[in-house]
Amino acid sequence: MPAFRFLHTSDLHLGKRFGQMPEEVRADLQQARQQTLATLAALAQEHGAQHVLIAGDMFDTETPSERVQRQALAAMGAAPDLHWWIIPGNHDSAAAETLWAGMAQHAAANTHLLMQPEPVQMAPGVHLLPAPCRHRFAGQDLTAWMDGCDTPAGDLRIGLAHGGVLDFGSDEAGGEVISPNRASSARLDYLALGDWHGAFTLNDRSRYSGTPEADRFKHAGRGQCLLVELTAAGQPPDITALEVGAYHWQEQALPLTPASDVAAELQALLPASRAHWRLHLLRLKAEGWVTAPQRLALEQAVAQVAPEFCHFTLETSGLRSEYQLSDLDLIATNGALRAAAEDLMRSAEDTSEAQNARDIASAALNRLFAYAQDGDATGERNA
């Protein structure tokens, strides 16, 4: 039998709303996610794979809009030389009867909805053993039936499942139900897993592909899928990761000290190709100690580059301020404003105060400093 080649993907979460993001960002991410199926089809064709396995959570909910459903079906049907093999996951479980009945009604002949735990012949000598999620929370190992499933000797056996494993975990609590030894006990040549949104190797025959379009900072980088080639029953699979996603997610630490050139250190952390910043989502976590002028310089440097990114956030909860009398001179040298600044400085540095109270005083002093500097700059511009 010639080598059998397919793509393994999962967790497309079509229709995801990205409610925590600004409106413009939501629209960009939703559009990229809807494009995922066409990208997967192009990759499959490029690498000579005739099959795409989707290991659950094709949709983000059990009630995606008809527009999302029909566009997904159209994208798969537009590649008639490919076969798509799909199981429900926990987000779009088989309990959503209306969803899957509508999908079945409009699906093209190359789109296979696997709603029952029973073997399916994908090609001569190749059997797929699916474990569809019947409900959002399985409460049992849905792959257990695979151990007792017989297929002809010498044929390839591929498992398809969605959920966490007992010694690894899940992206959602309550999903840790799949045996980590299932590939071995069920004599599988490969076990295609979904649920974890980052790529993960459980063992040499069991892999999580991760989502093809990244959707959180927890799993950094661009989304990917896996190109899998099986040469013969019992032989180890040949697996290659292929980048799919349009958007790159990254959380980056920015450690600072009073001696730091904050603008230069920020610049050093930014992606090298400025032309691609629009495809990056960056969460920058500033840490350490800075002076009030440094903090203001950091905020100004971020404000200069942030609009060129798809999304850019600066987190300063781990950043403390170091104050000097010379900093207060930049706010006011005398009068009520100076007195208020000195009171805030004393409160921010008073170790007898609760940390929360010190943080509030520090934030107020930083805001006062920023207002004062902005006022000075406005005056210079008007002059």
Side-chain angles (χ1 to χ4, degrees), residues 208-225:
Y208 285 88
S209 64
T211 177
E213 186 67 57
D215 57 7
R216 63 192 70 180
F217 291 106
K218 179 179 180 180
H219 305 295
R222 286 186 169 87
Q224 66 169 48
C225 69

Side-chain angles (χ1 to χ4, degrees), residues 14 34 37 58-59 67-77 103:
L14 301 179
Q34 205 67 22
L37 287 165
M58 181 170 177
F59 299 104
R67 178 175 182 268
V68 169
Q69 297 175 49
R70 296 291 291 276
Q71 288 186 4
L73 288 169
M76 292 185 289
M103 289 285 287

Side-chain angles (χ1 to χ4, degrees), residues 164-192:
V165 295
L166 298 176
D167 64 350
F168 173 50
S170 167
D171 261 352
E172 290 203 12
E176 306 86 71
V177 295
I178 297 174
S179 168
N181 301 315
R182 184 60 61 208
S184 174
S185 63
R187 308 173 306 287
L188 300 176
D189 296 290
Y190 184 76
L191 176 57

Side-chain angles (χ1 to χ4, degrees), residues 33-45 72 75-76 79 82 84:
R33 189 158 294 274
Q34 205 67 22
Q35 180 63 27
T36 300
L37 287 165
T39 305
L40 289 167
L43 282 172
Q45 292 163 339
M76 292 185 289
L82 297 180
W84 303 81

Side-chain angles (χ1 to χ4, degrees), residues 22-246:
E23 183 176 353
E24 285 184 325
V25 177
R26 289 201 301 269
D28 288 344
L29 298 179
Q30 289 167 354
Q31 183 176 6
R33 189 158 294 274
Q34 205 67 22
Q35 180 63 27
T36 300
L37 287 165
T39 305
L40 289 167
L43 282 172
Q45 292 163 339
E46 177 185 348
H47 292 277
Q50 295 183 320
H51 301 266
V52 181
L53 275 58
I54 300 178
D57 282 358
M58 181 170 177
F59 299 104
D60 191 53
T61 70
E62 294 182 342
T63 56
S65 69
E66 186 172 2
R67 178 175 182 268
V68 169
Q69 297 175 49
R70 296 291 291 276
Q71 288 186 4
L73 288 169
M76 292 185 289
D81 54 329
L82 297 180
H83 285 273
W84 303 81
W85 306 87
I86 305 164
I87 59 168
N90 60 324
H91 277 255
D92 54 6
S93 75
E97 296 179 0
T98 301
L99 165 62
W100 294 106
M103 289 285 287
Q105 179 182 355
H106 298 288
N110 68 335
T111 303
H112 310 278
L113 309 178
L114 307 172
M115 310 303 293
Q116 299 297 327
E118 56 190 22
V120 177
Q121 187 173 29
M122 298 176 66
V126 183
H127 298 271
L128 182 63
L129 282 60
C133 291
R134 300 186 185 93
H135 305 282
R136 184 172 178 85
F137 300 106
Q140 58 180 314
D141 185 347
L142 297 177
T143 67
W145 73 276
M146 298 178 185
D147 289 4
C149 177
D150 292 327
T151 55
D155 283 7
L156 295 173
R157 293 165 59 91
I158 302 170
L160 184 63
H162 186 91
V165 295
L166 298 176
D167 64 350
F168 173 50
S170 167
D171 261 352
E172 290 203 12
E176 306 86 71
V177 295
I178 297 174
S179 168
N181 301 315
R182 184 60 61 208
S184 174
S185 63
R187 308 173 306 287
L188 300 176
D189 296 290
Y190 184 76
L191 176 57
L193 293 167
D195 181 56
W196 189 249
H197 287 202
F200 185 82
T201 300
L202 182 59
N203 54 55
D204 62 349
R205 297 179 187 273
S206 307
R207 297 279 290 265
Y208 285 88
S209 64
T211 177
E213 186 67 57
D215 57 7
R216 63 192 70 180
F217 291 106
K218 179 179 180 180
H219 305 295
R222 286 186 169 87
Q224 66 169 48
C225 69
L226 298 176
L227 174 65
V228 183
E229 181 173 284
L230 302 175
T231 55
Q235 296 299 309
D238 182 17
I239 304 171
T240 305
L242 302 177
E243 194 171 81
V244 180

